[in-house]
Amino acid sequence: MIHCTRALPFLILLVGVSCLGQDIQRFPPPDFESGYEFPVTTTPAPRAGTLNYLDVAVLFMALSLASYLALIKRSRQGIFALTIFSLLYFGFYREGCVCSIGAIQNVTLALFDPSYSVPFTVAVFFFLPLLFALFFGRVFCAGVCPLGAIQDMMLIRPVKIPHWLLPALGLLAYLYLGVAILFAATGSAFIICEYDPFVTFFRLAGNRNIVILGISLLVISLFVGRPYCLFLCPYGVLLHHFTRLTQWQVTVSPNECLQCQLCEEACPFGAIDPPTPKGMPAPNKQDRFRLVFLILLVPIFIAVGGWVASLAADSFSRMHFTVRLAEQIAWEDASEVDKFTEASQVFRDTGQPKEALFQEARHVRDRFVLGAWILGGFLGLVIAGKLIGLSRYRIRSDYEINATDCLACGRCFSYCPQEIKRRRKSKSAPTVRQEAGNG
Amino acid sequence: MVSSNQEFTRRRLLKDGFRNVCILGIGGASGILMARGQTDQYCWQIDPQKCIACGNCATFCVLEESAVKCVQTYAMCGYCKLCTGFFDPAPNALNTGAENQLCPTGAIIRTFVEDPYYEYTIDESLCIGCGKCVKWCKAFGNGSFYLQVRHDRCVNCNQCAIAAACPSEAFQRVPADQPYLLKGTNHSG
Amino acid sequence: MDKKAKSIPSGKLIWHPTIEGIAAVSGIFSLIVAGLLMINYVADQSGLPEKELIYSSQLAKQKALLTQDPQNEQLKKEIRALDYELRQDFFWRKTFSEKGKLLLLAGIAVFLLAMKKLADLQRKPHKPQTGSREPNFDATKRRQARQAVSWMGLILTVGILSLALAPKLDIPALPSDDSDASVVSVPEYPTDEEIQQNWPRFRGPGGLGISIHERAPTSWNGETGEGILWKAEVHLPGANSPIAWGDRVFISGADKKNKEVYCYSLESGDLLWRNRVENVPGNPGEVPSIMEDTGYAAPTMVCDGARVYAIFADGDLICFDFSGKRIWAKNLGAPDNVYGYASSLSSYRNLLLIQYDGGTEDDDQSVLYALEGKTGQVVWQAKRPVANTWTSPILADTANGKQFITCSEPWVIAYEPETGAELWRANLMGTDLAPSPIFAREMAFVIQPNETLFAIRCDGRGDVTETHVAWKKDCPTPDISSPVSNGEFIFLLDGAGVLTCYETQNGEMVWDHRFDDFFLTSPSIAAGWIYLVSDNGKTYRVKAAREFEQADSISTLDETIMASPAFLDGRIIIRGDKNLYCIGSN
């Protein structure tokens, strides 16, 4: 290997030569005389595939148990214990990955990219909680979701958020869902996973900005019940709508409501609606007019939303690697930027035709324009839907849980005197006293 | 009272109907997705032919210690006395002194085999996946050092943070039963 | 406090201060750990350049000093000490951070549980308001909520609009929609010259088995490695032949479960990429039952200069670009072919041409597809009144333009490749066809195995069975290998090793010679010699001339060879059942 030493100054001159491309066998592997044998490059296997079935089984068991605890056993303590288990298993043991929220993107990508197929586990994680929601409501949120669990743990001093603010803040979740689907469908990024605020805690490591985001959300969680679930969670949006059709749902009182008002402040998530006041005036002409007007306005909302979002399609499309690269190359060619980026350098080194890249980028951008129209239209529809829902006249005679917003955490049970009576009948007294607080 | 009861029943029926539609929908959708899927699981891996050893793997991994490490295909290695992946571009002497080493953590172990050949092995517990040795080995050596995702460390994020930051699109999802893209060992005379 | 104490049962009185204490201790503990971690993090990150985890300007400086004073042993010692210290620090901080985080987690968990318990203990029951709500309570709430939603809608609109303020995407327009003529347009497909330089399909340019290159290796030896540039492992079996374009060589392979496409570097033999073919939309999901000799990857791939295409026994058709990126894939439906689908792919300009014959001559199963290479969309398709076959179509460059010539039972049919319009057809063929047609001297040559060699003039239209068969020769024709012609003569090689030479003009036999081997590959002509590769790896060379002349050297490779070699400038690519070889000299 004398040539190495002598060639060195020459080699140093060559520094800066691109190192892309194929390997060159510059120095043939020696024929060893000492009987040396090539060691083998180790390839540690990934997590065994069979363990994925364990995840599925645990998910199913946890969902079933959560349904049982929330609807039949009516035990906050049980649900709390399950929450801790889920936090430990899906959170700290599985380190937050495979998760139903992120699975939205895998399913979307599979729908739009025929070369990608959803792994079995991911598909189950996406569909199973929705299926449970059709029968038992959002039991997934109650005791299975590790993201919900970590926030639930933090909730110590609930501060009441004004009821009327919730639908408005809830819009953010629809935006998040829509944008996540747009980026997943175009193959740009999985933003739900990239910006998952809590996964950094499960892994005890992560990007600094995400850690800061996560800590802020957890600090908010000390006072506001589950801010991510209520205002951001895209999967929550799906569960919310599936729960509209739920067969059974959690109730505050095991029997008849006594109208004692004790549970009024029980729900930190604003899911308990008080009865409508006596003597509430029937809808007047103005109310009826508003409702009809809003319904007629739905197409306008959709059109305006689509149009507004389509204006931002170019910005959205920059999330896509190809578009960013094409734009960078175009800038460089027009001398608008001085420096090549690593990505553009790589592209130039491969010698692929720029025109093909530009064409593909434009093709991607066109898909984004269409996607942005759909996204905007969807958001317009959601806003219109919320306004219409808020213009409808409803009568509630009891304190009722709004099943679609209820996270089935079971906090309200112990507030109801009927429940206390039920427990006193079925169980020994000490538990009751403890649960009832100093009431 | 009767009418409200009727309405109640009608709503209930409607709800049941919709629910059944939803169940069928979920069943159908998952059926279609499953029928298409022949891959059980994916995991992330680096295509060594595309990798430019930019250094992002060391800093962008969500883990404290990157799951990407340098690997060595011994059959491709030249066993050079002057290994450009091991030595600083201008080494003071060809020995393992810190002043001569390229690796910032000293993760490459250099052992004498027979004159004039040396074996170079990666100590994975020290390697941080920065790819400095990879860059130099590829540019001036045989390219037997290259980066791979080590699956005993990788948590297999749904969206790999390094993949999102990779400038050469070298990260790809590969079937979990073939989780490595090792460089070939197919060199004859 | 007193008041409270009275209302709390005595058990709780004891617990209350204890829990408060736990909460305080764990809280302070967590704060301290968090603070230390923060300091550790800052110390770790401070002054690091981008993408560096360990860097010391001091060390860099000292190293620079050493280059000026290479003999300074003292400096070396200092560098080593500093380097050691730096690494120690780095790994110590890493360990500290890992352990610290666990401690912090535990501290916070205890703190939270204690705080939760405290909150439970201190929970005061909600005091219901006396008296009922005012009648307009609900309406007011709903009005407020509506307003909030409207405001939020407005904020979102403004937010999205602010995204729209970003500069418009500025990607230059395509040359095609640019009037500036100076811009060179990118051709969508390679020129004939480029195709001639490469080996883009089964039997090379046009499918005729002729290389235009002047240089071709003359001898090699698999045992000694002489004349072999590289060999690379073939991972999955396949009867398909290698194809090559530019600096790349492509093959496909498949078994019952796996289908894969491989790209090798022509220079080094490195496997550049290897892609599984799976999740192909429309795949029937069942493996067809086929003859073992045919295998699951019998058809040879094709390359159009920008992309490569491969088709498999189950009808999966897939397109990759040169970097291995999957462009599109589709399934053409399970082919009805008792021995297994074997017709190789062809390409004409932007089109991918697939002779997809199956079933019998009158069950309408056989189709000729032309797909847009870039997208996989069908451009034209032609139903064919023929039965399943194992021949591959060819692209003939006739005096009247290109003809796409197919040979099946019972029809030999020629098509116009742009449109799929039928040019002529001849009812000549019987069953079990494997040798592909060739074209020479404005004639197409087709073979009925063990029976007849036909020469058909290609200037006819419609049914030319009676009018354009120039000559036919009843002779022991090959049952697998396709013929090859240098224009003047046509050479037939049968499986048992008899090579026969006929005049193309009139079918007169010129000479024949028996080799002591069996042959599954088709002969090719390169640099004036016919290359014959036997199934046990021997390669004979015979001059393509009126006089029989065999080269002295017989080259050998020690494995079974079923695939026809690819000829490039000074190189031959041969696929054995275990390895792919590149023959040539440096």
Side-chain angles (χ1 to χ4, degrees), chain B residues 56 64 92 99 106 187, chain C residues 51 70 76 80 87 97 101:
Chain B
N56 281 356
E64 179 115 359
N92 180 272
E99 69 276 12
H187 292 272
Chain C
K51 293 184 184 177
K76 281 187 197 172
R80 287 174 195 178
R87 295 180 203 193
S97 158
K101 281 171 188 168

Side-chain angles (χ1 to χ4, degrees), chain C residues 228-251:
Chain C
I228 295 174
L229 285 177
W230 50 259
K231 71 174 186 182
E233 191 189 340
V234 170
H235 295 275
L236 284 178
N240 67 86
S241 304
I243 62 166
W245 191 277
D247 58 354
R248 280 155 198 249
V249 178
F250 303 92
I251 55 169

Side-chain angles (χ1 to χ4, degrees), chain C residues 85-381:
Chain C
E85 195 184 317
L86 280 170
R87 295 180 203 193
Q88 283 251 307
D89 277 5
F90 174 78
F91 285 104
W92 187 85
R93 277 202 301 271
K94 210 179 79 179
T95 319
F96 177 84
S97 158
E98 276 164 9
K99 302 232 164 97
K101 281 171 188 168
L102 284 177
L103 283 179
L104 182 63
L105 189 70
I108 289 179
V110 173
F111 175 72
L112 283 178
L113 285 176
M115 287 302 280
K116 265 185 131 54
K117 196 76 209 167
L118 270 184
D120 260 4
L121 291 175
Q122 290 173 354
R123 194 176 87 192
K124 285 179 218 142
H126 171 60
K127 292 211 179 71
Q129 292 168 317
T130 45
S132 62
R133 301 165 197 280
E134 60 147 332
N136 270 330
F137 179 79
D138 254 46
T140 319
K141 283 271 145 114
R142 274 187 281 139
R143 200 191 64 238
Q144 284 171 329
R146 276 200 304 271
Q147 281 168 356
V149 168
S150 310
W151 276 109
M152 186 54 99
L154 207 62
I155 291 168
L156 291 186
T157 311
V158 171
I160 292 173
L161 277 178
S162 71
L163 284 180
L165 287 180
K168 282 274 151 209
L169 204 56
D170 182 24
I171 297 169
L174 273 185
S176 55
D177 40 65
D178 197 325
S179 54
D180 190 352
S182 66
V183 182
V184 189
S185 73
V186 200
E188 294 268 307
Y189 47 84
T191 60
D192 281 358
E193 285 69 39
E194 283 175 281
I195 291 175
Q196 290 292 344
Q197 292 297 325
N198 291 291
W199 197 265
R201 52 159 287 169
F202 178 57
R203 308 201 70 212
L208 306 179
I210 298 171
S211 163
I212 61 150
H213 296 291
E214 301 281 315
R215 303 189 302 150
T218 52
S219 73
W220 56 90
N221 188 323
E223 224 160 79
T224 63
E226 172 224 323
I228 295 174
L229 285 177
W230 50 259
K231 71 174 186 182
E233 191 189 340
V234 170
H235 295 275
L236 284 178
N240 67 86
S241 304
I243 62 166
W245 191 277
D247 58 354
R248 280 155 198 249
V249 178
F250 303 92
I251 55 169
S252 64
D255 56 23
K256 225 167 172 162
K257 282 169 75 181
N258 305 293
K259 290 168 288 204
E260 289 187 325
V261 174
Y262 307 92
C263 170
Y264 296 87
S265 159
L266 176 62
E267 288 308 317
S268 65
D270 276 346
L271 182 58
L272 296 180
W273 49 263
R274 146 182 201 179
N275 278 330
R276 286 173 72 86
V277 178
E278 54 194 0
N279 305 326
V280 173
N283 185 297
E286 55 194 47
V287 183
S289 62
I290 54 167
M291 197 170 78
E292 204 178 313
D293 284 353
T294 313
Y296 297 91
T300 299
M301 299 170 62
V302 70
C303 173
D304 65 4
R307 290 166 293 270
V308 291
Y309 309 86
I311 191 166
F312 296 88
D314 55 2
D316 272 2
L317 176 65
I318 194 157
C319 167
F320 292 103
D321 71 6
F322 273 26
S323 67
K325 188 172 154 204
R326 176 168 163 164
I327 306 296
W328 53 262
K330 58 163 67 178
N331 188 286
L332 296 178
D336 179 8
N337 191 320
V338 280
Y339 298 124
Y341 180 70
S343 298
S344 295
L345 298 172
S346 317
S347 160
Y348 173 73
R349 297 197 165 167
N350 59 332
L351 300 178
L352 170 67
L353 301 166
I354 308 144
Q355 181 183 345
Y356 208 61
D357 291 346
T360 61
E361 56 182 278
D362 40 31
D363 65 359
D364 261 5
Q365 279 199 50
S366 301
V367 187
L368 177 63
Y369 289 105
L371 310 186
E372 167 91 49
K374 244 189 303 188
T375 59
Q377 302 294 323
V378 175
V379 177
W380 56 259
Q381 62 184 64

Side-chain angles (χ1 to χ4, degrees), chain A residues 45-55 94, chain B residues 40-41 176:
Chain A
R47 189 167 180 270
T50 43
L51 283 176
N52 294 319
Y53 295 99
L54 174 71
D55 293 343
R94 290 298 293 121
Chain B
D40 222 19
Q41 289 291 325

Side-chain angles (χ1 to χ4, degrees), chain A residues 22-23 80 92 114-115 117 152-157 164 167-169 171-172 175 204-205 208 260-262 264-265 274 276-281 290 308-309 311-312 314-318 323 326-327 330 342 355 358-362 365 383 386-387 390-393 396 399 411 414-415 434-435 437-438, chain C residues 7-9 12 41 45 51 101-102 105 112-113 115-119 121-126 128-129 131 133-139 141-142 144-146 148-150 152-153 156-157 160-161 163-164 166-175 186 247-248 265 267-268 270 272 279 281 323 325-326 374:
Chain A
Q22 296 132 26
D23 304 310
F80 187 72
F92 288 101
S115 69
S117 72
D152 210 274
M153 295 293 119
M154 299 297 292
L155 182 57
I156 289 170
R157 304 270 156 174
W164 51 267
L169 289 174
L171 279 180
L172 293 173
L175 177 71
L204 298 176
R208 184 185 54 205
C260 65
Q261 303 187 20
L262 286 173
E264 199 172 56
E265 302 289 317
T276 43
K278 287 199 185 85
M280 180 168 75
R290 183 187 301 114
V308 167
L311 293 177
D314 278 4
S315 291
F316 287 134
S317 70
R318 287 195 177 92
V323 175
E327 191 173 43
E342 270 170 345
E355 286 72 16
F358 291 157
Q359 193 181 8
E360 200 192 329
R362 240 193 311 278
R365 200 260 313 266
I383 294 175
K386 289 239 172 194
L387 289 175
L390 289 166
S391 305
R392 276 166 68 198
Y393 172 84
R396 285 179 304 274
Y399 281 87
R411 281 191 175 79
S414 64
Y415 286 76
Q434 212 177 10
E435 286 266 315
N438 43 8
Chain C
S7 62
I8 296 172
K12 283 184 181 168
Y41 175 80
Q45 299 283 308
K51 293 184 184 177
K101 281 171 188 168
L102 284 177
L105 189 70
L112 283 178
L113 285 176
M115 287 302 280
K116 265 185 131 54
K117 196 76 209 167
L118 270 184
L121 291 175
Q122 290 173 354
R123 194 176 87 192
K124 285 179 218 142
H126 171 60
Q129 292 168 317
R133 301 165 197 280
E134 60 147 332
N136 270 330
F137 179 79
D138 254 46
K141 283 271 145 114
R142 274 187 281 139
Q144 284 171 329
R146 276 200 304 271
V149 168
S150 310
M152 186 54 99
L156 291 186
T157 311
I160 292 173
L161 277 178
L163 284 180
K168 282 274 151 209
L169 204 56
D170 182 24
I171 297 169
L174 273 185
V186 200
D247 58 354
R248 280 155 198 249
S265 159
E267 288 308 317
S268 65
D270 276 346
L272 296 180
N279 305 326
S323 67
K325 188 172 154 204
R326 176 168 163 164
K374 244 189 303 188

